[in-house]
Amino acid sequence: EADIYQTPRYLVIGTGKKITLECSQTMGHDKMYWYQQDPGMELHLIHYSYGVNSTEKGDLSSESTVSRIRTEHFPLTLESARPSHTSQYLCASMGQGTEAFFGQGTRLTVV
Amino acid sequence: KQEVTQIPAALSVPEGENLVLNCSFTDSAIYNLQWFRQDPGKGLTSLLLIQSSQREQTSGRLNASLDKSSGRSTLYIAASQPGDSATYLCAVRPPFNQAGTALIFGKGTTLSVSS
């Protein structure tokens, strides 16, 4: 069973607010990822990390930032939310040579 | 650049039918391939993982095959049930030693099984 958790599950927030989406995993995986998914569309990689203090941008340009201070924790931050940031954000982790596991996602709505 | 295509985009079948979902990828140099299920508004649930050296994996009513040389994978669902209704996603992982070994996804096949 996957042990990767995202909070909050749903978030409605006003334009200009700073938000942090939390992602934690208890499997000791080094690799963690953030994907963005618009309704009915495919997943696009926005950030990834191969371990503590390692972060890289993904294929899809994003105004969000991430940090990896602890192995188990990979939060995503938007400094100033805009309606264009409305989407579902999915966090995943992967061990070496093993399956990728996803959290339940955070559905963000910026009004 | 690796691209993943899933056909069909949508499929509606009556309960009890056996069905096949198709996935193709443009670069045969993959580390593994993974099938996921996604229910509306939810995260992804891993169904089957096939390593590049394997030909197939089975879990219950699900069987996934991999033909790496031709860039194809199929997900076979036996005796479909209404609870199987969901979007099924195929994803490939680039070789381990390449930078950016994140999964690359297809757009998915949305399955509807009617009772």
Side-chain angles (χ1 to χ4, degrees):
Chain A
E1 185 174 330
D3 294 316
I4 178 165
Y5 308 99
Q6 289 186 244
T7 58
R9 287 291 315 280
Y10 305 93
L11 180 62
V12 180
I13 200 163
T15 297
K17 298 291 187 182
K18 177 180 178 178
I19 58 171
T20 296
L21 309 184
E22 302 287 350
C23 177
S24 296
Q25 52 96 4
T26 59
M27 296 172 282
H29 289 166
D30 287 333
K31 300 179 184 66
M32 295 189 74
Y33 308 87
W34 278 103
Y35 288 85
Q36 184 174 342
Q37 184 183 34
D38 292 327
M41 302 297 287
E42 62 207 289
L43 280 78
H44 291 285
L45 180 70
I46 52 174
H47 297 284
Y48 61 97
S49 168
Y50 287 160
V52 171
N53 295 325
S54 153
T55 62
E56 300 287 344
K57 289 187 178 294
D59 299 328
L60 182 67
S61 176
S62 174
E63 294 169 345
S64 58
T65 60
V66 293
S67 63
R68 190 88 183 274
I69 297 173
R70 303 197 317 265
T71 297
E72 62 270 22
H73 195 212
F74 191 39
L76 180 146
T77 298
L78 277 166
E79 291 291 335
S80 179
R82 295 208 302 268
S84 61
H85 296 141
T86 294
S87 189
Q88 176 160 249
Y89 294 85
L90 292 161
C91 179
S93 74
M94 186 190 299
Q96 191 154 327
T98 63
E99 291 176 82
F101 294 99
F102 279 77
Q104 284 298 300
T106 293
R107 183 167 295 280
L108 173 65
T109 302
V110 184
V111 298
Chain B
K1 180 183 175 184
Q2 178 74 271
E3 293 183 0
V4 180
T5 303
Q6 292 188 245
I7 295 174
L11 182 62
S12 293
V13 300
E15 182 177 7
E17 275 204 8
N18 302 323
L19 53 99
V20 174
L21 307 181
N22 296 293
C23 171
S24 61
F25 45 96
T26 55
D27 186 348
S28 62
I30 64 170
Y31 190 72
N32 59 37
L33 183 146
Q34 198 166 349
W35 282 94
F36 294 89
R37 168 186 173 138
Q38 185 176 32
D39 293 293
K42 300 288 181 65
L44 278 64
T45 300
S46 178
L47 297 174
L48 290 164
L49 170 71
I50 310 177
Q51 301 293 350
S52 62
S53 58
Q54 296 176 322
R55 298 285 294 186
E56 67 178 334
Q57 283 287 336
T58 298
S59 176
R61 294 182 294 109
L62 305 179
N63 175 277
S65 68
L66 174 64
D67 184 343
K68 200 175 74 161
S69 61
S70 67
R72 294 182 181 184
S73 176
T74 61
L75 179 66
Y76 176 83
I77 302 177
S80 58
Q81 302 171 358
D84 294 331
S85 298
T87 296
Y88 291 81
L89 295 162
C90 167
V92 299
R93 182 178 171 186
F96 183 73
N97 60 348
Q98 280 189 3
T101 56
L103 292 175
I104 300 168
F105 284 85
K107 293 184 177 181
T109 294
T110 299
L111 172 66
S112 176
V113 182
S114 56
S115 57

PDB file of all heavy atoms in Angstrom, chain B residues 57-77:
ATOM      1  N   GLN B  57       2.770  -8.955 -17.000  1.00  0.00           N
ATOM      2  CA  GLN B  57       2.492  -9.025 -15.574  1.00  0.00           C
ATOM      3  C   GLN B  57       0.996  -9.228 -15.410  1.00  0.00           C
ATOM      4  O   GLN B  57       0.197  -8.714 -16.196  1.00  0.00           O
ATOM      5  CB  GLN B  57       2.916  -7.729 -14.864  1.00  0.00           C
ATOM      6  CG  GLN B  57       4.394  -7.587 -14.624  1.00  0.00           C
ATOM      7  CD  GLN B  57       4.895  -8.497 -13.520  1.00  0.00           C
ATOM      8  OE1 GLN B  57       4.165  -8.921 -12.643  1.00  0.00           O
ATOM      9  NE2 GLN B  57       6.168  -8.833 -13.586  1.00  0.00           N
ATOM     10  N   THR B  58       0.635  -9.944 -14.354  1.00  0.00           N
ATOM     11  CA  THR B  58      -0.774 -10.243 -14.117  1.00  0.00           C
ATOM     12  C   THR B  58      -1.123  -9.914 -12.676  1.00  0.00           C
ATOM     13  O   THR B  58      -0.329 -10.141 -11.760  1.00  0.00           O
ATOM     14  CB  THR B  58      -1.079 -11.724 -14.387  1.00  0.00           C
ATOM     15  OG1 THR B  58      -0.808 -11.991 -15.771  1.00  0.00           O
ATOM     16  CG2 THR B  58      -2.535 -12.049 -14.099  1.00  0.00           C
ATOM     17  N   SER B  59      -2.334  -9.359 -12.510  1.00  0.00           N
ATOM     18  CA  SER B  59      -2.863  -9.124 -11.178  1.00  0.00           C
ATOM     19  C   SER B  59      -4.376  -9.295 -11.243  1.00  0.00           C
ATOM     20  O   SER B  59      -5.074  -8.465 -11.824  1.00  0.00           O
ATOM     21  CB  SER B  59      -2.508  -7.718 -10.680  1.00  0.00           C
ATOM     22  OG  SER B  59      -3.102  -7.464  -9.426  1.00  0.00           O
ATOM     23  N   GLY B  60      -4.861 -10.394 -10.691  1.00  0.00           N
ATOM     24  CA  GLY B  60      -6.301 -10.642 -10.714  1.00  0.00           C
ATOM     25  C   GLY B  60      -6.836 -10.726 -12.129  1.00  0.00           C
ATOM     26  O   GLY B  60      -6.364 -11.519 -12.950  1.00  0.00           O
ATOM     27  N   ARG B  61      -7.802  -9.856 -12.443  1.00  0.00           N
ATOM     28  CA  ARG B  61      -8.407  -9.858 -13.782  1.00  0.00           C
ATOM     29  C   ARG B  61      -7.616  -9.024 -14.791  1.00  0.00           C
ATOM     30  O   ARG B  61      -8.029  -8.877 -15.935  1.00  0.00           O
ATOM     31  CB  ARG B  61      -9.834  -9.320 -13.688  1.00  0.00           C
ATOM     32  CG  ARG B  61     -10.792 -10.212 -12.901  1.00  0.00           C
ATOM     33  CD  ARG B  61     -12.219  -9.653 -12.885  1.00  0.00           C
ATOM     34  NE  ARG B  61     -12.310  -8.399 -12.151  1.00  0.00           N
ATOM     35  CZ  ARG B  61     -12.511  -7.221 -12.723  1.00  0.00           C
ATOM     36  NH1 ARG B  61     -12.642  -7.111 -14.040  1.00  0.00           N
ATOM     37  NH2 ARG B  61     -12.588  -6.132 -11.975  1.00  0.00           N
ATOM     38  N   LEU B  62      -6.505  -8.472 -14.370  1.00  0.00           N
ATOM     39  CA  LEU B  62      -5.711  -7.606 -15.224  1.00  0.00           C
ATOM     40  C   LEU B  62      -4.458  -8.330 -15.705  1.00  0.00           C
ATOM     41  O   LEU B  62      -3.800  -9.029 -14.932  1.00  0.00           O
ATOM     42  CB  LEU B  62      -5.287  -6.337 -14.482  1.00  0.00           C
ATOM     43  CG  LEU B  62      -6.376  -5.498 -13.847  1.00  0.00           C
ATOM     44  CD1 LEU B  62      -5.768  -4.301 -13.134  1.00  0.00           C
ATOM     45  CD2 LEU B  62      -7.394  -5.046 -14.875  1.00  0.00           C
ATOM     46  N   ASN B  63      -4.148  -8.116 -16.979  1.00  0.00           N
ATOM     47  CA  ASN B  63      -2.912  -8.648 -17.546  1.00  0.00           C
ATOM     48  C   ASN B  63      -2.328  -7.583 -18.454  1.00  0.00           C
ATOM     49  O   ASN B  63      -3.012  -7.067 -19.341  1.00  0.00           O
ATOM     50  CB  ASN B  63      -3.184  -9.923 -18.347  1.00  0.00           C
ATOM     51  CG  ASN B  63      -1.942 -10.433 -19.050  1.00  0.00           C
ATOM     52  OD1 ASN B  63      -1.584  -9.991 -20.132  1.00  0.00           O
ATOM     53  ND2 ASN B  63      -1.255 -11.372 -18.416  1.00  0.00           N
ATOM     54  N   ALA B  64      -1.082  -7.238 -18.225  1.00  0.00           N
ATOM     55  CA  ALA B  64      -0.416  -6.247 -19.062  1.00  0.00           C
ATOM     56  C   ALA B  64       0.744  -6.908 -19.786  1.00  0.00           C
ATOM     57  O   ALA B  64       1.500  -7.676 -19.185  1.00  0.00           O
ATOM     58  CB  ALA B  64       0.086  -5.077 -18.228  1.00  0.00           C
ATOM     59  N   SER B  65       0.876  -6.616 -21.054  1.00  0.00           N
ATOM     60  CA  SER B  65       1.986  -7.138 -21.840  1.00  0.00           C
ATOM     61  C   SER B  65       2.861  -5.997 -22.325  1.00  0.00           C
ATOM     62  O   SER B  65       2.414  -4.850 -22.409  1.00  0.00           O
ATOM     63  CB  SER B  65       1.448  -7.922 -23.050  1.00  0.00           C
ATOM     64  OG  SER B  65       0.815  -7.042 -23.953  1.00  0.00           O
ATOM     65  N   LEU B  66       4.106  -6.326 -22.634  1.00  0.00           N
ATOM     66  CA  LEU B  66       5.050  -5.333 -23.116  1.00  0.00           C
ATOM     67  C   LEU B  66       5.853  -5.906 -24.269  1.00  0.00           C
ATOM     68  O   LEU B  66       6.451  -6.978 -24.145  1.00  0.00           O
ATOM     69  CB  LEU B  66       6.001  -4.896 -21.997  1.00  0.00           C
ATOM     70  CG  LEU B  66       7.146  -3.966 -22.401  1.00  0.00           C
ATOM     71  CD1 LEU B  66       6.604  -2.631 -22.897  1.00  0.00           C
ATOM     72  CD2 LEU B  66       8.102  -3.759 -21.229  1.00  0.00           C
ATOM     73  N   ASP B  67       5.848  -5.206 -25.399  1.00  0.00           N
ATOM     74  CA  ASP B  67       6.709  -5.519 -26.520  1.00  0.00           C
ATOM     75  C   ASP B  67       7.580  -4.290 -26.740  1.00  0.00           C
ATOM     76  O   ASP B  67       7.202  -3.355 -27.458  1.00  0.00           O
ATOM     77  CB  ASP B  67       5.881  -5.834 -27.773  1.00  0.00           C
ATOM     78  CG  ASP B  67       6.748  -6.270 -28.943  1.00  0.00           C
ATOM     79  OD1 ASP B  67       7.971  -6.028 -28.909  1.00  0.00           O
ATOM     80  OD2 ASP B  67       6.221  -6.850 -29.902  1.00  0.00           O
ATOM     81  N   LYS B  68       8.732  -4.288 -26.092  1.00  0.00           N
ATOM     82  CA  LYS B  68       9.569  -3.086 -26.078  1.00  0.00           C
ATOM     83  C   LYS B  68      10.083  -2.751 -27.473  1.00  0.00           C
ATOM     84  O   LYS B  68      10.130  -1.590 -27.858  1.00  0.00           O
ATOM     85  CB  LYS B  68      10.739  -3.299 -25.111  1.00  0.00           C
ATOM     86  CG  LYS B  68      11.386  -2.011 -24.652  1.00  0.00           C
ATOM     87  CD  LYS B  68      12.443  -2.270 -23.623  1.00  0.00           C
ATOM     88  CE  LYS B  68      13.678  -2.867 -24.242  1.00  0.00           C
ATOM     89  NZ  LYS B  68      14.873  -2.727 -23.406  1.00  0.00           N
ATOM     90  N   SER B  69      10.430  -3.768 -28.234  1.00  0.00           N
ATOM     91  CA  SER B  69      11.025  -3.523 -29.556  1.00  0.00           C
ATOM     92  C   SER B  69      10.058  -2.811 -30.490  1.00  0.00           C
ATOM     93  O   SER B  69      10.472  -1.999 -31.327  1.00  0.00           O
ATOM     94  CB  SER B  69      11.505  -4.824 -30.183  1.00  0.00           C
ATOM     95  OG  SER B  69      10.418  -5.708 -30.360  1.00  0.00           O
ATOM     96  N   SER B  70       8.767  -3.112 -30.347  1.00  0.00           N
ATOM     97  CA  SER B  70       7.781  -2.454 -31.206  1.00  0.00           C
ATOM     98  C   SER B  70       7.142  -1.252 -30.537  1.00  0.00           C
ATOM     99  O   SER B  70       6.306  -0.568 -31.127  1.00  0.00           O
ATOM    100  CB  SER B  70       6.685  -3.433 -31.621  1.00  0.00           C
ATOM    101  OG  SER B  70       5.919  -3.821 -30.513  1.00  0.00           O
ATOM    102  N   GLY B  71       7.525  -0.987 -29.292  1.00  0.00           N
ATOM    103  CA  GLY B  71       7.005   0.179 -28.581  1.00  0.00           C
ATOM    104  C   GLY B  71       5.540   0.070 -28.231  1.00  0.00           C
ATOM    105  O   GLY B  71       4.798   1.046 -28.376  1.00  0.00           O
ATOM    106  N   ARG B  72       5.112  -1.117 -27.754  1.00  0.00           N
ATOM    107  CA  ARG B  72       3.700  -1.312 -27.466  1.00  0.00           C
ATOM    108  C   ARG B  72       3.484  -2.055 -26.154  1.00  0.00           C
ATOM    109  O   ARG B  72       4.256  -2.933 -25.780  1.00  0.00           O
ATOM    110  CB  ARG B  72       3.027  -2.098 -28.587  1.00  0.00           C
ATOM    111  CG  ARG B  72       2.993  -1.354 -29.889  1.00  0.00           C
ATOM    112  CD  ARG B  72       2.270  -2.149 -30.943  1.00  0.00           C
ATOM    113  NE  ARG B  72       2.260  -1.435 -32.227  1.00  0.00           N
ATOM    114  CZ  ARG B  72       1.637  -1.837 -33.306  1.00  0.00           C
ATOM    115  NH1 ARG B  72       0.938  -2.972 -33.281  1.00  0.00           N
ATOM    116  NH2 ARG B  72       1.689  -1.135 -34.429  1.00  0.00           N
ATOM    117  N   SER B  73       2.376  -1.682 -25.512  1.00  0.00           N
ATOM    118  CA  SER B  73       1.905  -2.399 -24.336  1.00  0.00           C
ATOM    119  C   SER B  73       0.385  -2.482 -24.421  1.00  0.00           C
ATOM    120  O   SER B  73      -0.267  -1.574 -24.963  1.00  0.00           O
ATOM    121  CB  SER B  73       2.318  -1.684 -23.050  1.00  0.00           C
ATOM    122  OG  SER B  73       1.785  -2.331 -21.921  1.00  0.00           O
ATOM    123  N   THR B  74      -0.160  -3.561 -23.898  1.00  0.00           N
ATOM    124  CA  THR B  74      -1.615  -3.684 -23.829  1.00  0.00           C
ATOM    125  C   THR B  74      -2.018  -4.025 -22.406  1.00  0.00           C
ATOM    126  O   THR B  74      -1.284  -4.716 -21.683  1.00  0.00           O
ATOM    127  CB  THR B  74      -2.156  -4.774 -24.769  1.00  0.00           C
ATOM    128  OG1 THR B  74      -1.591  -6.032 -24.394  1.00  0.00           O
ATOM    129  CG2 THR B  74      -1.824  -4.476 -26.213  1.00  0.00           C
ATOM    130  N   LEU B  75      -3.158  -3.525 -21.992  1.00  0.00           N
ATOM    131  CA  LEU B  75      -3.768  -3.883 -20.718  1.00  0.00           C
ATOM    132  C   LEU B  75      -5.053  -4.626 -21.022  1.00  0.00           C
ATOM    133  O   LEU B  75      -5.968  -4.070 -21.650  1.00  0.00           O
ATOM    134  CB  LEU B  75      -4.062  -2.640 -19.872  1.00  0.00           C
ATOM    135  CG  LEU B  75      -4.729  -2.919 -18.522  1.00  0.00           C
ATOM    136  CD1 LEU B  75      -3.778  -3.683 -17.600  1.00  0.00           C
ATOM    137  CD2 LEU B  75      -5.186  -1.622 -17.856  1.00  0.00           C
ATOM    138  N   TYR B  76      -5.095  -5.864 -20.594  1.00  0.00           N
ATOM    139  CA  TYR B  76      -6.257  -6.727 -20.815  1.00  0.00           C
ATOM    140  C   TYR B  76      -7.052  -6.800 -19.516  1.00  0.00           C
ATOM    141  O   TYR B  76      -6.487  -7.100 -18.458  1.00  0.00           O
ATOM    142  CB  TYR B  76      -5.774  -8.108 -21.250  1.00  0.00           C
ATOM    143  CG  TYR B  76      -6.861  -9.137 -21.416  1.00  0.00           C
ATOM    144  CD1 TYR B  76      -7.602  -9.219 -22.594  1.00  0.00           C
ATOM    145  CD2 TYR B  76      -7.121 -10.070 -20.408  1.00  0.00           C
ATOM    146  CE1 TYR B  76      -8.583 -10.174 -22.752  1.00  0.00           C
ATOM    147  CE2 TYR B  76      -8.097 -11.033 -20.565  1.00  0.00           C
ATOM    148  CZ  TYR B  76      -8.830 -11.090 -21.741  1.00  0.00           C
ATOM    149  OH  TYR B  76      -9.806 -12.046 -21.904  1.00  0.00           O
ATOM    150  N   ILE B  77      -8.343  -6.491 -19.621  1.00  0.00           N
ATOM    151  CA  ILE B  77      -9.233  -6.584 -18.469  1.00  0.00           C
ATOM    152  C   ILE B  77     -10.255  -7.678 -18.757  1.00  0.00           C
ATOM    153  O   ILE B  77     -11.032  -7.585 -19.726  1.00  0.00           O
ATOM    154  CB  ILE B  77      -9.949  -5.251 -18.179  1.00  0.00           C
ATOM    155  CG1 ILE B  77      -8.924  -4.139 -17.947  1.00  0.00           C
ATOM    156  CG2 ILE B  77     -10.860  -5.389 -16.959  1.00  0.00           C
ATOM    157  CD1 ILE B  77      -9.543  -2.760 -17.732  1.00  0.00           C
TER     158      ILE B  77
END
